[in-house]
Amino acid sequence: MSLHSHGPAPCDDADGHLVTAGPLTPPPDIAGTPQDDRALRHSHAEDVQGMVLATLVASLGLAIFAKGGLMIGGMAGLAFLIHYAAGWNFGLVFVLVNLPFYWVGVRRMGWEFTLKTFAAVTACGVLTDLLPRWADFAHIAPLYSALVGGALAGLGILFFIRHRASLGGIGILAVYLQRTRGWSAGKVQMSFDAMLMLVAFSVLSPIQVMYSAIGAVVLSLVLMFNHRPGRYMGV
């Protein structure tokens, strides 16, 4: 391989045939063209099933958090705190606290992303409230709630991202501030979550806040290890 070559080096497969590209690499005559872009985008049917699966997984994770008396970061965490402190319906609060961010979503992400995000937030909020009526848990240890709830919520968010949606909230604002003012989106998100955890001490016990922080870390790790631009092609 010369010093001026780019990409993975050709290699032989098990049968001795020359392999120059992976299974997701488009043919050379369409690579980087509109035809290539259409081939990699999700169809409407794929988007629908992806959004449904994301809703089922994310809402199960949120329901496990709720059963364990825990919270996570972002607007879901704020909705949990209001739910615990005032006894208000989690799904309704989750929808309401996300409303101010849709304006930013339309301006910075477009109508498709914003409408999908609104649908995702509404569906997850409603389903999180309904799940205990359909499948209640007699007991969930806080550590299990943090680990499994964080993993499932992270996977659900990952599925939403891969279908051009999100669970709304501070993440949209963080991206907006990064693009308009140069603020680090990660630092904005982290700062908000840190303040939220501090406020949580006035509502939850210290042990609940500790387990909530563990759940938030697990959720972040799921996204960090699995959401990397360029690795996943079906966007």
Side-chain angles (χ1 to χ4, degrees):
M1 178 175 172
S2 69
L3 294 177
H4 299 288
S5 63
H6 300 281
C11 61
D12 293 337
D13 64 10
D15 298 320
H17 301 118
L18 184 66
V19 178
T20 59
L24 294 179
T25 304
D29 59 336
I30 69 166
T33 65
Q35 182 182 355
D36 176 28
D37 182 63
R38 287 194 300 271
L40 294 175
R41 286 184 65 87
H42 290 120
S43 67
H44 292 305
E46 289 170 337
D47 270 343
V48 169
Q49 65 85 32
M51 293 285 286
V52 170
L53 289 176
T55 300
L56 293 175
V57 173
S59 61
L60 179 58
L62 294 176
I64 290 176
F65 268 114
K67 184 63 179 182
L70 308 181
M71 54 167 282
I72 55 176
M75 289 298 105
L78 179 59
F80 271 129
L81 279 186
I82 296 174
H83 167 68
Y84 294 142
W88 296 353
N89 180 279
F90 168 80
L92 176 61
V93 175
F94 189 37
V95 171
L96 292 178
V97 297
N98 274 290
L99 289 179
F101 298 97
Y102 295 128
W103 177 80
V104 178
V106 171
R107 288 177 58 87
R108 306 308 303 182
M109 307 295 186
W111 278 104
E112 178 187 352
F113 171 87
T114 304
L115 291 175
K116 285 182 177 180
T117 296
F118 177 78
V121 169
T122 303
C124 280
V126 170
L127 197 55
T128 300
D129 285 335
L130 291 176
L131 271 174
R133 305 181 187 181
W134 301 336
D136 196 12
F137 300 97
H139 171 71
I140 292 184
L143 181 59
Y144 179 89
S145 179
L147 296 177
V148 177
L152 289 175
L155 286 173
I157 293 172
L158 180 68
F159 297 163
F160 281 129
I161 291 172
R162 289 181 172 179
H163 289 272
R164 301 181 66 82
S166 75
L167 278 183
I170 198 68
I172 297 176
L173 179 61
V175 172
Y176 174 76
L177 291 174
Q178 178 170 285
R179 293 181 178 180
T180 58
R181 301 194 179 185
W183 297 3
S184 168
K187 290 181 180 179
V188 171
Q189 179 83 51
M190 187 182 301
S191 298
F192 178 85
D193 288 347
M195 289 188 293
L196 193 63
M197 289 295 173
L198 290 176
V199 174
F201 281 105
S202 64
V203 178
L204 304 177
S205 68
I207 192 69
Q208 286 176 301
V209 176
M210 183 192 74
Y211 282 122
S212 296
I214 292 174
V217 170
V218 171
L219 188 156
S220 298
L221 288 175
V222 169
L223 296 179
M224 184 180 72
F225 282 116
N226 294 281
H227 181 54
R228 297 185 184 180
R231 169 172 288 184
Y232 181 78
M233 304 300 292
V235 296

